[in-house]
Amino acid sequence: MNRFIGLIDSGMGGLTVLNQIMGFLPEENTVYFGDMGRAPYGSRSRQVLKRYSEQIVRYLIDNYDLKLMVTACNTISAICLDHLQETFDLPIMGIIDPVPEKAISASTNGRIGVIGTRRTIESSVYQKKILSIDPSVRVYPQECPLFIHLVEEGWTKEPAARLIVGEYLANLKHSKIDTLILGCTHYPILKDMIKEYLGSDVLIIDPAVECITTIKAFLAEKGILNKGNYPERIYQVTDNPELFRSSGERYLDRKIHNVNLVDIGLLESKTAVC
Ligand code: DGL
């Protein structure tokens, strides 16, 4: 039976992970959950993030036959992954683990920048993992809380967006990083602007790209890769399905059907207190 891979994010950012699945695991059925009604997640407290992500995973488990859940969001991966793995009897994978190794081997000057939401940067998850592998590397973290709004509004080329990108990344440019981790799944959508500001010498690492190898290896090892399947694509959002559909089509560069609205009240009524 062709079971589903579930993907969760606060909004449209996790589409960058879905895009990789569509490209490299095209026969997999997917159900994508964007919590548009409660986004952004990046500045929310740990407790709230755990509650929201638990509600969503529970909802998806109740409604779909899942073989794997991917937290297609750095904030959820950084703050809630352990909690979700302890709570649910389902393989749940984050998107952070494969990244530090890749960034270290990509950097030639040992200066690595990490950008992400306030909560991800504050958690120091990337810094800790990088330094545990190679303590000689210098890590330059930068939170960029306004980036998610640019992406959710579809501002990927506007001059005002360019200004905000420059404002957030000025210190990293000054620090002469040669590698930058996009530690939020929304940020690859701003990649062109980021590259333009930092220059072509800075290598950009996208966790959405890096995690695909891990997902594929997991499915292969368990013998649960889909074969010869015409994939089902389902999208669930907690608000603004039309905005999700129109911006999502632009970001994925393909048509999106099956965008369903999920009642936040229903999610909240089903959750255990955590
Ligand atoms: N896309 C998410 C991440 O990777 C969350 C962004 C947000 O909602 O602030 O962290």
Side-chain angles (χ1 to χ4, degrees):
M1 189 166 42
N2 290 325
R3 292 150 75 206
F4 282 81
I5 298 177
L7 296 108
I8 66 173
D9 182 48
S10 61
M12 286 184 264
L15 292 178
T16 57
V17 180
L18 178 62
N19 204 18
Q20 297 297 320
I21 292 182
M22 286 170 160
F24 292 96
L25 293 165
E27 292 163 312
E28 296 300 331
N29 295 329
T30 53
V31 53
Y32 181 95
F33 196 108
D35 198 0
M36 308 272 288
R38 301 186 293 190
Y41 275 14
S43 300
R44 292 202 183 272
S45 68
R46 289 173 167 260
Q47 202 183 3
V48 167
L49 288 168
K50 284 182 186 168
R51 197 172 77 232
Y52 285 1
S53 56
E54 186 184 321
Q55 289 168 351
I56 296 168
V57 175
R58 196 176 300 282
Y59 170 84
L60 290 175
I61 288 175
D62 284 352
N63 288 282
Y64 296 93
D65 187 10
L66 299 173
K67 60 182 176 185
L68 172 68
M69 175 72 65
V70 179
T71 54
C73 169
N74 284 264
T75 311
I76 300 176
S77 301
I79 308 297
C80 314
L81 188 60
D82 292 349
H83 171 71
L84 295 174
Q85 288 170 336
E86 278 159 23
T87 306
F88 297 102
D89 186 18
L90 170 80
I92 304 182
M93 202 178 268
I95 55 171
I96 291 173
D97 278 352
V99 176
E101 193 91 57
K102 171 77 191 211
I104 291 168
S105 58
S107 174
T108 52
N109 72 1
R111 292 166 175 264
I112 299 174
V114 183
I115 55 175
T117 65
R118 185 158 294 152
R119 210 52 76 221
T120 299
I121 294 302
E122 181 196 272
S123 77
S124 303
V125 62
Y126 281 105
Q127 296 95 303
K128 285 181 195 154
K129 285 181 193 276
I130 290 170
L131 295 176
S132 74
I133 301 169
D134 184 348
S136 72
V137 169
R138 296 187 72 173
V139 184
Y140 298 87
Q142 174 67 52
E143 58 183 52
C144 306
L146 291 180
F147 280 9
I148 180 178
H149 298 288
L150 302 180
V151 172
E152 296 283 321
E153 280 301 315
W155 280 30
T156 56
K157 292 193 169 66
E158 284 67 10
R162 230 171 272 278
L163 276 178
I164 292 170
V165 166
E167 190 76 26
Y168 278 135
L169 303 187
N171 282 340
L172 295 182
K173 194 170 186 170
H174 184 69
S175 304
K176 304 212 176 331
I177 57 162
D178 72 350
T179 306
L180 176 69
I181 297 170
L182 303 182
C184 169
T185 50
H186 281 74
Y187 299 177
I189 293 165
L190 301 173
K191 192 170 169 184
D192 289 347
M193 257 194 273
I194 293 172
K195 259 177 128 54
E196 189 184 293
Y197 179 77
L198 289 177
S200 54
D201 289 348
V202 176
L203 189 84
I204 308 274
I205 309 268
D206 175 357
V209 173
E210 305 311 321
C211 73
I212 271 301
T213 318
T214 318
I215 294 173
K216 202 170 178 171
F218 171 81
L219 297 176
E221 189 202 313
K222 300 277 174 209
I224 50 173
L225 272 166
N226 275 7
K227 301 219 172 79
N229 177 49
Y230 184 78
E232 236 183 293
R233 306 261 172 246
I234 298 171
Y235 302 87
Q236 308 277 16
V237 294
T238 48
D239 205 357
N240 290 317
E242 186 47 36
L243 174 67
F244 180 88
R245 196 194 53 72
S246 57
S247 298
E249 285 188 347
R250 205 146 32 87
Y251 297 154
L252 291 174
D253 196 23
R254 67 177 83 197
K255 285 272 169 220
I256 288 186
H257 309 281
N258 291 333
V259 183
N260 310 304
L261 189 61
V262 178
D263 179 16
I264 292 176
L266 176 79
L267 288 182
E268 306 216 312
S269 70
K270 286 192 163 186
T271 304
V273 180
C274 65

